[in-house]
């Protein structure tokens, strides 16, 4: 659907449905109060009533808070799909423009690539009418870029694992680089061998698809900050020889959501033309079984040189990230920030529920700044604290570190602490790890999310990067 910002006074379009937000308070004084009440419409949050004789659609909101406007816009986007109007119009102002756009684009999102007869909506256009187009143009453009980048991330995550494997993910990154003027370098298995990325290579060994390390870079002329982003790109996680039970394996195409998030972020940043140098690194690997599979009991030598005892091949993301984080820190010298995004642990969902991204790292200040950006962007995050006792649980009797903890508690944090082992001293305070295992994918709608990928990370990280001075 196309969205256009237009002056209310100049707006005159036929076959248009006018959408109005209404609070229960305002309903008491509404012109059509009696009709609305007869129809049982009491302006409850996210409820919809259409007066088609008047080409009017009412959507209830508790009050004009951002979050309420956003879910209301999402409800509208869903409700109008079957209607036979050519266009919709919604009056917006400085405060409501962003939630309306985000709610509409993200809440109306559908992934139809595998439907042989996708239903197409008749409504082709959304007009956002306002009093001062000039004053709202920047907010309008920013909200569209961020929402579309989130949908771009969702599309990749939602793509089936046989269509989106390491080779196709690398192709897609190259295409993004061409379209958005980014630098792109892809390491194949031969190059990864040369780089001694043995931990990452072991995870992908039983796959018929070659592992790839993808590096995209956005380098504006007057960059004020330099940021490295790393994404876990398990295009499928069967668990490997520590095979997942059948029901846990379903949805594991989403194990590439960290990778897809960093692609979406660099897309947004380059389109917003932010004055921040951004590097996106992706470890694209498929974790499979077979005669060539890596095994529990194997000892791997990581790129850093530390040896890793494998006790569970399903804790594979951290092995891939260990090498990609090490590579990223060599390629991006003296970064201001280093962030990784990963669907790393089921334990993160146990700790925080499936809606919240787990944030781990050493810098309280940085965690605070991210939390602020997330609140502003409308994503849920929460901090999970490191401690030295949990770190001891990764001790190995035969190697430098073990890939799983020896105790069944605190699994999200011990995974974060495993990654911490591969963060160089000079970067400790600059690094945060985001566990998006719960927040990246959903099988039932919530907030502005529909079934499937949510695009977790794109909005809060873009917001954070926009806030850098
Ligand atoms: N990709 C999974 C984590 C995951 C689980 C993401 C559910 C999204 C939903 C990860 O590779 C994994 O399997 N982790 C194990 C670690 C364990 C073996 C220590 C887990 O969480 O069970
Ligand atoms: Zn796994
Ligand atoms: Zn995984």
């Amino acid at each position: 659907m196309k969205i256009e910002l237009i002056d209310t006074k100049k707006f005159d379009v036929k076959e248009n449905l006018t959408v109005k937000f209404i609070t229960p308070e305002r309903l008491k004084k509404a012109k059509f109060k009696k009709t609305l009440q007869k129809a049982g419409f009491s302006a409850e949050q996210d409820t919809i009533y259409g007066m088609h004789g008047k080409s009017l659609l009412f959507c209830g909101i508790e009050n004009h808070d951002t979050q309420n406007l956003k879910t209301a816009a999402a409800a509208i986007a869903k409700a109008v799909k079957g209607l036979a109007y050519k266009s919709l119009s919604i009056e917006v102002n400085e405060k409501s423009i962003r939630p309306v756009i985000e709610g509409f684009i993200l809440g109306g999102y559908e992934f139809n690539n595998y439907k042989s007869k996708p239903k197409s909506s008749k409504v082709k256009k959304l007009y956002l009418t306002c009093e001062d187009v000039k004053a709202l143009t920047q907010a309008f453009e920013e909200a569209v870029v961020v929402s579309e980048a989130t949908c771009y991330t969702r599309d990749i995550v939602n793509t089936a694992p046989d269509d989106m494997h390491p080779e196709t993910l690398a192709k897609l990154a190259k295409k993004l680089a061409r379209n958005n003027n980014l630098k792109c370098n892809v390491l194949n298995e031969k190059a990864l061998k040369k780089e001694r990325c043995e931990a990452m290579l072991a995870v992908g060994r039983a796959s018929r698809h070659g592992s790839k390390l993808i590096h995209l870079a956005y380098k504006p002329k007057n960059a004020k900050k330099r940021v490295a982003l790393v994404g876990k790109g398990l295009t499928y996680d069967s668990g490997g020889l520590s095979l997942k039970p059948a029901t846990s394996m379903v949805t594991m195409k989403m194990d590439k959501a960290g990778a897809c998030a960093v692609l979406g972020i660099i897309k947004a940043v380059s389109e917003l033309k932010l004055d921040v140098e951004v590097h996106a690194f992706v470890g694209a690997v498929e974790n499979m079984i077979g005669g060539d599979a890596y095994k529990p009991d194997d000892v791997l030598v990581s790129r850093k040189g530390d040896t890793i005892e494998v006790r569970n091949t399903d804790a594979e993301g951290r092995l891939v990230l260990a090498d990609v984080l090490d590579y990223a820190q060599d390629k991006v010298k003296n970064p201001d920030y280093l962030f990784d995004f990963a669907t790393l642990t089921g334990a993160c969902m146990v700790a925080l529920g499936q809606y919240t991204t787990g944030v781990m790292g050493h810098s309280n200040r940085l965690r605070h700044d991210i939390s602020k950006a997330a609140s502003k962007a409308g994503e849920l995050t929460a901090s999970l604290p490191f401690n030295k006792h949990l770190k001891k649980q990764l001790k190995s009797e035969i190697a430098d570190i073990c890939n799983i903890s020896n105790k069944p508690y605190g699994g999200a944090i011990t995974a974060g602490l495993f990654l911490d082992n591969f963060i160089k001293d000079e970067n400790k305070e600059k690094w945060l790890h985001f566990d998006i295992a719960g927040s990246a994918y959903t099988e039932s709608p919530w907030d502005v999310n529909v079934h499937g990928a949510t695009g977790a990370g794109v909005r809060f990280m873009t917001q954070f990067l926009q806030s850098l001075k």
Side-chain angles (χ1 to χ4, degrees):
M1 184 172 316
K2 289 215 169 71
I3 309 184
E4 194 180 317
L5 189 64
I6 186 165
D7 193 318
T8 310
K9 287 184 238 75
K10 290 185 194 146
F11 183 69
D12 178 26
V13 173
K14 297 206 173 60
E15 291 183 62
N16 177 71
L17 177 67
T18 306
V19 178
K20 289 189 187 295
F21 295 113
I22 186 163
T23 61
E25 220 25 61
R26 178 73 186 68
L27 177 64
K28 289 181 196 156
K29 292 174 245 149
K31 194 169 154 197
F32 305 112
K33 179 180 154 188
K34 286 218 172 100
T35 318
L36 294 170
Q37 281 176 339
K38 256 190 211 155
F41 178 78
S42 55
E44 242 177 80
Q45 178 69 39
D46 300 346
T47 58
I48 302 255
Y49 180 71
M51 276 175 64
H52 294 294
K54 301 248 182 278
S55 294
L56 272 176
L57 190 86
F58 291 94
C59 182
I61 46 170
E62 218 173 286
N63 54 43
H64 284 80
D65 283 359
T66 310
Q67 191 55 26
N68 292 336
L69 287 165
K70 208 185 292 186
T71 58
I76 294 162
K78 286 189 190 110
V80 299
K81 277 193 180 136
L83 302 183
Y85 293 88
K86 282 198 180 142
S87 64
L88 295 182
S89 61
I90 307 180
E91 174 89 30
V92 292
N93 57 32
E94 214 171 295
K95 201 181 145 217
S96 68
I97 185 159
R98 180 168 176 163
V100 167
I101 292 173
E102 282 190 4
F104 205 86
I105 296 182
L106 299 178
Y109 172 86
E110 273 179 16
F111 182 72
N112 284 328
N113 291 10
Y114 296 109
K115 295 264 191 210
S116 38
K117 291 187 193 94
K119 283 193 203 114
S120 75
S121 173
K122 290 206 176 64
V123 186
K124 300 287 181 214
K125 196 140 187 186
L126 169 64
Y127 292 101
L128 299 176
T129 59
C130 68
E131 274 171 20
D132 188 350
V133 170
K134 227 174 165 185
L136 294 192
T137 297
Q138 194 185 345
F140 170 78
E141 285 169 358
E142 285 181 5
V144 171
V145 165
V146 174
S147 304
E148 285 180 349
T150 306
C151 294
Y152 171 82
T153 294
R154 287 179 177 183
D155 280 345
I156 318 172
V157 177
N158 286 332
T159 302
D162 226 34
D163 296 327
M164 194 54 68
H165 45 74
E167 288 126 6
T168 40
L169 193 58
K171 265 193 198 149
L172 192 133
K174 282 183 187 161
K175 189 172 166 196
L176 177 63
R178 275 197 306 277
N179 291 344
N180 285 35
N181 235 328
L182 309 172
K183 292 224 163 68
C184 179
N185 185 30
V186 177
L187 275 62
N188 60 16
E189 292 197 340
K190 200 171 149 207
L192 285 166
K193 246 210 132 80
K194 242 182 164 171
E195 284 287 338
R196 303 177 323 281
C197 292
E198 296 293 342
M200 172 170 170
L201 281 167
V203 175
R205 218 165 55 203
S207 167
R208 67 194 176 100
H209 303 292
S211 300
K212 306 275 184 198
L213 197 164
I214 304 161
H215 176 191
L216 290 177
Y218 165 70
K219 292 183 171 184
K221 277 208 180 77
N222 302 312
K224 293 183 198 113
K225 291 278 180 332
R226 185 180 302 130
V227 182
L229 310 173
V230 173
K232 170 178 172 182
L234 263 289
T235 61
Y236 203 67
D237 181 12
S238 69
L241 290 178
S242 314
L243 195 65
K244 284 184 185 293
T247 49
S248 319
M249 208 185 292
V250 187
T251 73
M252 276 304 139
K253 65 172 183 183
M254 60 81 103
D255 215 18
K256 59 186 178 303
C260 304
V262 305
L263 295 180
I265 296 161
I266 203 166
K267 180 179 193 289
V269 167
S270 55
E271 288 168 12
L272 294 170
K273 299 190 170 62
L274 300 188
D275 292 333
V276 185
E277 181 175 320
V278 177
H279 295 261
F281 296 88
V282 163
V285 183
E286 190 183 50
N287 187 19
M288 299 298 279
I289 57 171
D292 198 24
Y294 83 123
K295 299 171 276 292
D297 287 350
D298 274 345
V299 175
L300 310 174
V301 184
S302 66
R303 183 178 186 277
K304 180 190 170 198
D306 283 9
T307 55
I308 308 168
E309 179 191 357
V310 177
R311 291 181 72 91
N312 191 319
T313 61
D314 198 11
E316 83 301 332
R318 60 196 79 180
L319 299 173
V320 172
L321 288 176
D323 281 350
V324 181
L325 279 165
D326 194 58
Y327 180 82
Q329 292 174 93
D330 276 351
K331 291 293 151 189
V332 183
K333 293 281 182 226
N334 198 20
D336 292 287
Y337 301 102
L338 169 62
F339 298 121
D340 75 76
F341 297 77
T343 47
L344 206 60
T345 65
C348 190
M349 279 186 267
V350 176
L352 299 175
Q354 65 268 48
Y355 310 109
T356 302
T357 295
V359 182
M360 284 153 262
H362 300 284
S363 166
N364 290 335
R365 168 85 195 267
L366 188 49
R367 281 193 289 180
H368 173 261
D369 291 348
I370 285 292
S371 160
K372 248 174 69 182
S375 308
K376 204 160 173 208
E379 282 197 67
L380 298 171
T381 61
S383 212
L384 294 170
F386 285 163
N387 66 58
K388 62 180 179 191
H389 312 290
L390 285 169
K391 184 134 198 166
K392 282 190 208 138
Q393 293 177 194
L394 290 167
K395 208 173 152 325
S396 165
E397 295 297 329
I398 61 161
D400 298 332
I401 194 166
C402 191
N403 84 324
I404 55 166
S405 160
N406 58 23
K407 298 216 170 59
Y409 306 118
I413 300 176
T414 50
L417 285 165
F418 179 91
L419 299 181
D420 173 47
N421 187 69
F422 299 89
I423 303 297
K424 296 181 195 290
D425 284 341
E426 63 269 28
N427 292 331
K428 290 279 188 206
E429 292 289 316
K430 300 170 180 175
W431 166 68
L432 288 181
H433 157 58
F434 303 114
D435 195 330
I436 56 170
S439 54
Y441 199 85
T442 182
E443 292 204 280
S444 44
W446 63 277
D447 196 61
V448 294
N449 304 306
V450 296
H451 178 277
T454 63
V458 176
R459 282 179 295 151
F460 84 72
M461 185 45 60
T462 307
Q463 176 67 49
F464 174 77
L465 297 173
Q466 270 182 304
S467 75
L468 295 178
K469 296 258 154 52

